[in-house]
């Protein structure tokens, strides 16, 4: 194989290996040994938060939703079908969480409506609920999909939220990320070693072509 083509292939192998190593390491660090993918957002004040099935039921694994409030303020979380969740909040001021960004580990959201929602705790639409002061959490089981989660106060007012966290756990993700890192490391090492060998061979070849200096020194003629 021509030397130039070999160098191009080795450089490509090194570059691909570096990309795999960086991406795999990044996911390994963020997922951790438990394989937990966690996405967060800080909703705007004054609105009820509704998490859509596009976030909760995107992966076939149990999903945990955690809501944290300022200064121990009360919070209510209700789990229901998407149609029931939409009906119970009505036209209230709602922040809808519709997606997740892996690059920033954040949740995508949009806002619509106006006003407060009716009392939520007493509604008969909930499959399960959770309440707390400072924080509360609820788990979404994929067997019941599609589902939506509503976060507010029991009276229907907006909770004073500092953070909404969605966590999906799958241990295999950690090992997959680790495997990608290992493949990247091996590819980078192989490519770099090949480039180094190519460079050494090129230098050896130049020396062989040039050869040693056989010129004889000029003899001085005695005066």
């Amino acid at each position: 194989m021509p030397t130039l083509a070999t160098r191009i292939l080795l450089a490509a192998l090194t570059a691909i290996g570096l990309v795999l190593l960086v991406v795999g390491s990044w996911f390994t660090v963020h997922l951790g040994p438990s394989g937990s993918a966690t996405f967060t957002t800080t909703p705007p004040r004054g609105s009820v938060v509704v998490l859509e099935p596009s976030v909760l039921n995107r992966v076939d694994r149990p999903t945990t939703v955690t809501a944290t409030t300022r200064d121990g303020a009360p919070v209510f979380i209700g789990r229901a079908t998407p149609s029931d969740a939409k009906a119970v909040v009505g036209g209230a001021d709602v922040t809808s969480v519709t997606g997740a960004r892996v690059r920033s580990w954040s949740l995508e959201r949009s806002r619509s409506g106006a006003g407060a929602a009716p009392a939520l705790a007493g509604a008969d639409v909930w499959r399960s609920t959770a309440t707390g002061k400072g924080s509360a959490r609820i788990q979404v089981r994929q067997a019941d999909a599609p589902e939506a989660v509503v976060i507010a106060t029991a009276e229907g007012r907006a909770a004073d939220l500092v953070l909404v966290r969605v966590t999906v756990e799958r241990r295999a993700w950690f090992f997959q990320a680790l495997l990608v890192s290992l493949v990247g490391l091996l590819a980078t090492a192989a490519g770099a070693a090949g480039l180094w060998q190519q460079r050494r061979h090129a230098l050896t070849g130049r020396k062989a072509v040039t050869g040693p200096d056989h010129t004889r020194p000029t003899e001085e003629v005695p005066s």
Side-chain angles (χ1 to χ4, degrees):
M1 184 181 294
T3 302
L4 179 59
T6 303
R7 288 178 180 173
I8 292 173
L9 287 177
L10 288 172
L13 178 63
T14 304
I16 293 171
L18 282 172
V19 171
L20 292 176
L21 178 59
V22 171
V23 172
S25 300
W26 185 70
F27 274 101
T28 301
V29 170
H30 279 84
L31 293 172
S34 63
S36 298
T38 300
F39 304 90
T40 62
T41 187
T42 300
R45 290 189 176 188
S47 66
V48 174
V49 176
V50 178
L51 286 86
E52 303 286 351
S54 54
V55 175
L56 302 176
N57 305 125
R58 190 169 185 171
V59 180
D60 189 20
R61 296 293 299 174
T63 301
T64 303
V65 178
T66 305
T68 304
T69 59
R70 291 179 179 84
D71 303 323
V75 61
F76 167 90
I77 306 178
R79 180 174 64 93
T81 65
S83 57
D84 285 341
K86 184 176 180 180
V88 76
V89 299
D93 185 345
V94 172
T95 295
S96 300
V97 179
T98 56
R101 295 190 185 99
V102 175
R103 180 178 297 180
S104 58
W105 300 99
S106 62
L107 296 168
E108 298 177 343
R109 63 179 194 257
S110 61
R111 191 172 183 177
S112 61
L120 298 178
D124 59 359
V125 301
W126 308 117
R127 291 176 172 175
S128 65
T129 61
T131 57
K133 290 184 177 181
S135 68
R137 70 175 55 185
I138 201 167
Q139 190 175 70
V140 176
R141 300 182 299 273
Q142 300 305 319
D144 300 324
E147 288 192 303
V149 164
V150 178
I151 304 175
T153 64
E155 297 78 18
R157 297 189 305 273
D160 192 10
L161 296 168
V162 292
L163 190 70
V164 172
R165 183 168 63 245
V166 175
T167 303
V168 185
E169 184 175 315
R170 187 175 184 181
R171 188 175 294 272
W173 289 341
F174 172 76
F175 294 105
Q176 290 168 354
L178 203 60
L179 179 60
V180 171
S181 301
L182 178 60
V183 171
L185 179 62
L186 293 175
T188 302
L195 288 172
W196 175 250
Q197 288 296 326
Q198 286 286 312
R199 178 176 174 80
R200 289 188 61 187
H201 290 161
L203 292 174
T204 303
R206 287 199 206 99
K207 290 180 180 178
V209 170
T210 304
D213 186 4
H214 295 295
T215 58
R216 298 177 64 183
T218 302
E219 294 183 1
E220 293 185 3
V221 179
S223 57

